[in-house]
């Protein structure tokens, strides 16, 4: 697909920048407040965490879950996540989320700041994958940047998908997919795909809870 090169660059960025990944969580109070929101979300049972990164969210999920399976494409960030998370109920897996298919079903599928990295053309397939990973009665819970976050990114034009330019300490530059979803539009899009969804905004971010289409 046209966005393959962009996604390859995105993966390279997160591998190369693993050591810088946690900086925003130390700097921005809004992110700390978002982390605390986990305690108020309907996270239960066996949880699948997509794009777990360095595990900022993983211990908080583990505190509420029976088990957590945390998946990311980058070995570098997974090493940091394992060091952060001591719970015996957490399993880490390295996999490309655009290729990987969950081998079982879960009560909760959680992803934070991942939806904005999925090219629009791949969203229907992504949501189908999430639906297939959910057990009956299960929920998808997701957190991400809203449109206001575009002011803090170097947005690129003329790309195969909405994209931004990120820089690392060594001066290297990488393109990443960055889609700034509007809560109302995302709600409408998911509803058209058959999902039941509620999205609320919080300090420029959004928090979504969705249930997949019911298949007879």
């Amino acid at each position: 697909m046209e966005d393959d090169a962009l996604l390859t660059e995105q993966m390279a960025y997160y591998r190369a920048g693993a050591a810088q990944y946690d900086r925003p969580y130390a700097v921005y109070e809004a992110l700390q407040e978002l982390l605390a929101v986990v305690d108020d979300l309907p996270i239960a049972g066996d949880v699948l965490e997509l794009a777990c990164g360095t595990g900022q969210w993983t211990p908080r999920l583990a505190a509420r879950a029976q088990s957590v399976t945390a998946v990311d494409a980058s070995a570098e960030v997974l090493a940091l996540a394992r060091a952060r998370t001591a719970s015996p109920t957490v399993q880490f897996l390295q996999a490309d989320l655009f290729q990987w298919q969950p081998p079982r079903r879960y009560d909760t599928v959680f992803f934070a700041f991942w939806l904005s990295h999925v090219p629009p053309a791949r969203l229907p397939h992504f949501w189908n994958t999430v639906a297939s990973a959910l057990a009956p009665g299960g929920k998808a819970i997701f957190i991400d940047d809203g449109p206001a976050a575009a002011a803090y990114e170097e947005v690129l034009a003329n790309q195969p998908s909405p994209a931004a330019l990120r820089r690392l300490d060594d001066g290297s530059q990488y393109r990443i997919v960055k889609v700034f979803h509007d809560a109302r539009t995302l709600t409408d899009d998911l509803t058209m795909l058959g999902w039941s969804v509620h999205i609320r905004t919080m300090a420029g971010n959004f928090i979504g809870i969705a249930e997949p289409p019911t298949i007879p």
Side-chain angles (χ1 to χ4, degrees):
M1 297 178 69
E2 289 185 355
D3 49 31
D4 282 346
L6 185 57
L7 289 172
T8 298
E9 204 167 324
Q10 174 171 279
M11 188 182 299
Y13 166 74
Y14 281 106
R15 294 190 63 188
Q20 299 175 215
Y21 187 100
D22 290 329
R23 287 182 186 172
Y25 288 92
V27 174
Y28 296 110
E29 184 177 342
L31 281 176
Q32 293 296 325
E33 293 173 355
L34 272 177
L35 285 169
V37 166
V38 169
D39 294 335
D40 298 321
L41 295 174
I43 294 162
D46 295 321
V47 175
L48 173 63
E49 182 184 9
L50 301 178
C52 67
T54 60
Q56 285 281 351
W57 304 84
T58 312
R60 295 171 183 268
L61 298 175
R64 301 182 58 81
Q66 181 175 330
S67 71
V68 178
T69 301
V71 187
D72 201 283
S74 167
E76 290 80 358
V77 299
L78 282 173
L80 297 172
R82 289 189 179 96
R84 171 175 275 134
T85 309
S87 174
T89 63
V90 177
Q91 176 188 15
F92 291 97
L93 295 176
Q94 183 182 356
D96 181 351
L97 293 179
F98 293 107
Q99 304 293 333
W100 182 72
Q101 290 293 317
R104 51 161 294 192
R105 291 178 179 264
Y106 300 83
D107 302 296
T108 308
V109 177
F110 177 89
F111 40 102
F113 299 101
W114 169 245
L115 189 64
S116 58
H117 294 317
V118 179
R122 302 193 185 209
L123 278 174
H125 176 73
F126 171 73
W127 285 111
N128 285 341
T129 299
V130 174
S132 70
L134 284 168
K139 293 179 174 62
I141 300 175
F142 47 98
I143 297 171
D144 217 313
D145 293 312
Y152 303 97
E153 295 277 4
E154 189 171 342
V155 177
L156 299 173
N158 303 317
Q159 301 295 316
S161 289
L165 188 69
R166 296 274 182 89
R167 293 179 171 84
L168 297 178
D169 289 348
D170 62 5
S172 58
Q173 300 182 153
Y174 300 84
R175 296 175 304 157
I176 63 163
V177 175
K178 193 62 180 175
V179 184
F180 302 99
H181 290 283
D182 172 77
R184 179 176 297 179
T185 302
L186 182 57
T187 299
D188 291 343
D189 290 345
L190 279 169
T191 300
M192 288 182 64
L193 292 173
W195 288 74
S196 173
V197 58
H198 173 72
I199 299 176
R200 65 184 174 96
T201 58
M202 178 178 172
N205 303 110
F206 62 80
I207 302 164
I209 301 173
E211 297 181 45
T214 301
I215 301 175

